């Protein structure tokens, strides 16, 4: 009737906040009320009624029955990859009610991140399972009293899992962990850890000009990525220190002196490549700084310099492959910084511009180190981004530094997103692994164009050199994609070990799954190409493990790819030899961590090569014997690939390239644009997850 307002139709969907507030909800995502207030909008579909067929419920019940049968028959298996040297807790099965699984049946539209979260709340369990996080946690022991946790997203853990499952398949016995190198075994600090150790003499302090040279080396090598000291305050204290003859007792027991020793340790490590046996350069300064470090009660009295000190210790430990102490010290730095409010938008009017700017630099260094080291350890992040209100420092007169820090923060947030979704704890989110990978790739794709346009690398043969910091950001971007997609490599490696024919058949059935694996491999090739260019210009980082982590995870991918399908990697021998040439360069520069990582990769190469043979290889006949006394002979920088004398076919094992002409073009295309990355992510649909999920269950990928 005219003039009479028609009754509005009530929305069939109400968000959680509107339901709680008992107000009208528009039913859209996000709803008008939440969007107006800038609040997160979540829809709980547990209360939504949907209609499903009896056949659909029967199919779900059959899947649950297969899962229960699988767990029942394998309850005494030590872990999800079959290595009896890995210690785990007994597996459990979470019961699933078929009527809770209406997410896929009621979803006939494109999937957004919120849709994924909502479908998980609805109990949707169809989707590819990430075998690196499914099931009970895994541990590995080197044969002594210590036990190491195999973190979910850890590069080291991923390699150990691949090596374990391949060794078990080839030799029908667990991987002998006594032959492997574990954390903290690469270097020897000549210190028992006690601060009262009388054997620790005061190190020789260099002259003023030598000290300035070492400090400048630290600024050049680290200044573009991290804030380790405030130049104004640090250099003022430096000149005050050298003006005293001799330095007073109060000075050598101050926090600045500890900070000074740590910077000298970095400077020595950057400028002196030859180690004293297994004792890296600068160790005497580092150990003395640790011995003088006071209790946290005193550190909290000077939060800015104390946080800088803790960051220095964490980064130095990380470079020595002491990942657990590094993660511990950066965690202490994080808590100290938050206790001082550095994660907030600190007021300049109350605290002063210099102090606020310094706190901002400190905070974002702590944030970046925490995100990176947590990912390397495969552990949860320390702080949720919702509680971070700090803004980046202004860097007046240097917009390049501001853009560089902004991109570094974005990539570290991508790392955290991957850890919290793709490598989520065993549970509802994990059952949507493939769709979570889609979300992760969508988030990463947004950085591709900005990275290429703002930080070009000039890899096309121009006369311009590669900017060192830009190269690191590109490598970090490639690592994000690799870490997000490599669980698929592990899944299909296990299928390949079970049946090569089935592996090829499954890959051919889903073009999108194959493309994701190709993306992982191509990102590894991009990383190798960037590192090879850095090597040719003498810019490889040999102490900080940034380049080492990149070449390590990329080489593992290149080793697995051809085993899954020989056509996945074009010109495989040349790519692998490029990677090994980078390792030889690092080893020649005295990097003990690179030496042991390379040894482990060669062992993995040999084991994966044996999986492609009809009969398992005999370890006694291999050039890569597991005996520790054979290791040094394998790693001489001037030698070629250790298995050069063997006859290898493409796609299995790598022959040594006689002419060593590694600058030849390997057929690598340009890095995908943001649009291409988004197109790849958008191509992943729910039915892909459903299909691969059934493959994983049927073929024991747990």
């Amino acid at each position: 009737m005219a003039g009479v307002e028609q009754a509005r139709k009530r929305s069939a969907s109400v968000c959680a906040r509107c339901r709680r507030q008992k107000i009208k909800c528009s039913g859209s995502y996000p709803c008008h009320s939440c969007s107006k207030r800038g609040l997160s909008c979540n829809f709980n579909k547990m209360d939504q009624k949907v209609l499903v067929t009896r056949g659909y419920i029967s199919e779900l019940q059959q899947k649950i029955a297969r899962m229960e049968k699988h767990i029942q028959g394998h309850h005494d298996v030590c872990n999800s990859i079959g290595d009896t040297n890995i210690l785990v807790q007994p597996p459990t099965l979470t019961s699933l009610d078929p009527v809770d699984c209406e997410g896929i049946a009621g979803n006939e539209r494109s999937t957004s991140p919120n849709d994924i979260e909502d479908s998980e709340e609805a109990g949707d369990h169809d989707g590819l399972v990430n075998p690196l996080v499914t099931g009970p946690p895994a541990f590995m022991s080197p044969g002594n009293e210590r036990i190491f946790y195999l973190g979910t997203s850890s590069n080291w853990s991923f390699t150990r899992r691949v090596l374990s499952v391949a060794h078990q398949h080839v030799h029908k016995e667990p991987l002998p962990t006594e032959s492997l190198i574990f954390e903290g075994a690469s270097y020897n600090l000549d210190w028992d850890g006690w601060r009262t150790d009388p054997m620790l003499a005061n190190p020789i302090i260099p002259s003023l000009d030598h000290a300035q040279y070492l400090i400048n080396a630290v600024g050049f090598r680290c200044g573009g990525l991290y804030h380790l000291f405030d130049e104004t305050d640090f250099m003022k204290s430096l000149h005050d220190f050298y003006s005293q003859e001799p330095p007073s007792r109060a000075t050598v027991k101050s926090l600045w002196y500890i900070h000074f020793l740590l910077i000298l340790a970095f400077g020595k490590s950057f400028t002196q490549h030859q180690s004293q046996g297994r004792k890296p350069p600068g160790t005497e300064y580092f150990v003395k700084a640790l011995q003088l470090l006071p209790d946290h009660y005193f550190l909290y009295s000077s939060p800015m310099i104390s946080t800088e000190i803790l960051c220095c210790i964490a980064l130095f430990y990380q470079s020595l492959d002491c990942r657990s102490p590094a993660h511990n010290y950066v965690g202490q730095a994080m808590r100290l910084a938050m206790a001082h409010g550095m994660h907030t938008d600190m007021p300049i009017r109350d605290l002063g511009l210099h102090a606020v700017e310094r706190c901002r630099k400190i905070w974002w260094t702590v944030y970046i180190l925490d995100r990176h080291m947590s990912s390397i350890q495969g552990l949860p992040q320390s702080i949720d981004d919702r509680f971070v209100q700090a803004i980046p420092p202004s860097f007046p007169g240097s917009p390049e530094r501001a853009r560089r820090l902004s991109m570094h923060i974005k990539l570290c947030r991508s790392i955290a997103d991957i850890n919290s979704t793709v490598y989520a704890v065993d549970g509802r989110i994990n059952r949507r692994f493939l769709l979570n990978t889609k979300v992760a790739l969508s988030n990463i794709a947004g950085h591709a164009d900005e990275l290429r346009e703002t930080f070009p690398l000039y890899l096309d043969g121009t006369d311009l050199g590669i900017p060192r910091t830009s190269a690191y950001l590109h490598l970090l971007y490639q690592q994000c994609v690799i870490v997000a997609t490599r669980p698929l490599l592990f899944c299909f490696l296990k299928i390949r070990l079970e049946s090569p024919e089935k592996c090829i058949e499954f890959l051919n059935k889903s073009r999108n799954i194959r493309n994701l694996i190709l993306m992982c491999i191509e990102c590894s090739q991009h990383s190798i190409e960037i590192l090879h260019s850095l090597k040719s210009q003498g810019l490889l980082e040999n102490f900080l493990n940034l380049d080492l982590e990149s070449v390590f995870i990329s080489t593992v991918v290149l080793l697995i790819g051809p085993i899954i399908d020989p056509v996945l990697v074009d010109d495989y021998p040349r790519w692998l030899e490029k990677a090994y040439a980078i390792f030889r360069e690092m080893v020649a520069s005295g990097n003990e961590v690179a030496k042991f990582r390379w040894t482990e990769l060669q062992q993995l190469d040999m084991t994966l090569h044996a999986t492609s043979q009809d009969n398992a290889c005999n370890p006694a006949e291999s050039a890569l014997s597991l005996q520790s006394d054979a290791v040094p002979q394998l790693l001489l920088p001037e030698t070629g690939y250790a298995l050069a004398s063997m006859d290898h076919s493409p796609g299995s094992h790598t022959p040594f390239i006689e002419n060593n002409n590694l600058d030849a073009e390997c057929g690598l295309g340009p890095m995908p644009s943001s649009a291409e990355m988004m197109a790849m992510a958008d191509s992943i649909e729910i039915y892909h997850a459903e299909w691969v999920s059934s493959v994983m269950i049927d073929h024991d990928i747990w």
Side-chain angles (χ1 to χ4, degrees), residues 483-524:
V483 174
T485 54
R486 70 182 176 190
L488 287 170
L489 283 174
F490 189 74
C491 289
F492 280 88
L493 175 63
K494 293 203 69 177
I495 298 177
R496 162 63 179 79
L497 298 180
E498 176 187 331
S499 171
E501 295 76 15
K502 289 182 179 178
C503 181
I504 300 299
E505 176 186 350
F506 292 148
L507 280 176
N508 292 335
K509 278 187 177 180
S510 177
R511 182 178 179 181
N512 286 345
I513 301 299
R514 189 184 190 90
N515 286 340
L516 284 175
I517 294 177
L518 282 172
M519 178 186 293
C520 183
I521 294 173
E522 289 176 0
C523 285
S524 300

Side-chain angles (χ1 to χ4, degrees), residues 429-558:
I429 296 179
N430 187 51
R431 297 189 182 96
R432 300 298 297 262
F433 157 65
L434 195 58
L435 294 180
N436 285 326
T437 302
K438 171 181 180 176
V439 175
L441 291 177
S442 299
N443 295 335
I444 299 170
H447 309 320
D449 290 346
E450 179 184 355
L451 189 63
R452 184 173 52 248
E453 295 169 5
T454 308
F455 306 97
L457 288 185
Y458 312 113
L459 296 177
D460 54 357
T462 65
D463 295 333
L464 296 175
I466 299 177
R468 176 61 259 201
T469 308
S470 298
Y472 168 70
L473 294 176
H474 279 265
L475 291 172
L476 186 57
Y477 171 85
Q478 305 296 343
Q479 287 185 52
C480 289
V481 181
I482 293 171
V483 174
T485 54
R486 70 182 176 190
L488 287 170
L489 283 174
F490 189 74
C491 289
F492 280 88
L493 175 63
K494 293 203 69 177
I495 298 177
R496 162 63 179 79
L497 298 180
E498 176 187 331
S499 171
E501 295 76 15
K502 289 182 179 178
C503 181
I504 300 299
E505 176 186 350
F506 292 148
L507 280 176
N508 292 335
K509 278 187 177 180
S510 177
R511 182 178 179 181
N512 286 345
I513 301 299
R514 189 184 190 90
N515 286 340
L516 284 175
I517 294 177
L518 282 172
M519 178 186 293
C520 183
I521 294 173
E522 289 176 0
C523 285
S524 300
Q525 293 172 325
H526 276 290
S527 297
I528 297 298
E529 190 66 26
I530 294 171
L531 290 167
H532 181 68
S533 298
L534 291 173
K535 170 182 170 293
S536 65
Q537 298 183 27
L539 293 176
L540 273 180
E541 177 53 63
N542 291 313
F543 181 67
L544 302 179
N545 61 9
L546 308 176
D547 292 349
L548 177 59
E549 283 292 325
S550 183
V551 68
F552 181 64
I553 66 172
S554 299
T555 307
V556 172
V557 171
L558 291 178

Side-chain angles (χ1 to χ4, degrees), residues 59 63 103-105 107-111 124 126-128 432 434-435 438 509-513 680-695:
E59 180 183 353
K63 288 184 178 181
I104 292 180
N107 192 346
E108 298 179 355
R109 54 188 176 83
S110 61
T111 306
D124 181 9
D126 280 328
L128 173 60
R432 300 298 297 262
L434 195 58
L435 294 180
K438 171 181 180 176
K509 278 187 177 180
S510 177
R511 182 178 179 181
N512 286 345
I513 301 299
M680 170 60 69
D682 291 341
S683 68
I684 303 173
E685 299 294 345
I686 288 181
Y687 69 86
H688 295 121
E690 294 177 353
W691 173 76
V692 185
S693 176
S694 60
V695 172

Side-chain angles (χ1 to χ4, degrees), residues 13 45 57 296 328 350 395 405 453 472 516 611 634 678:
S13 181
K45 294 185 179 180
I57 295 177
H296 280 273
N328 181 37
D350 299 333
F395 296 115
L405 176 61
E453 295 169 5
Y472 168 70
L516 284 175
T611 64
L634 297 174
M678 286 298 300

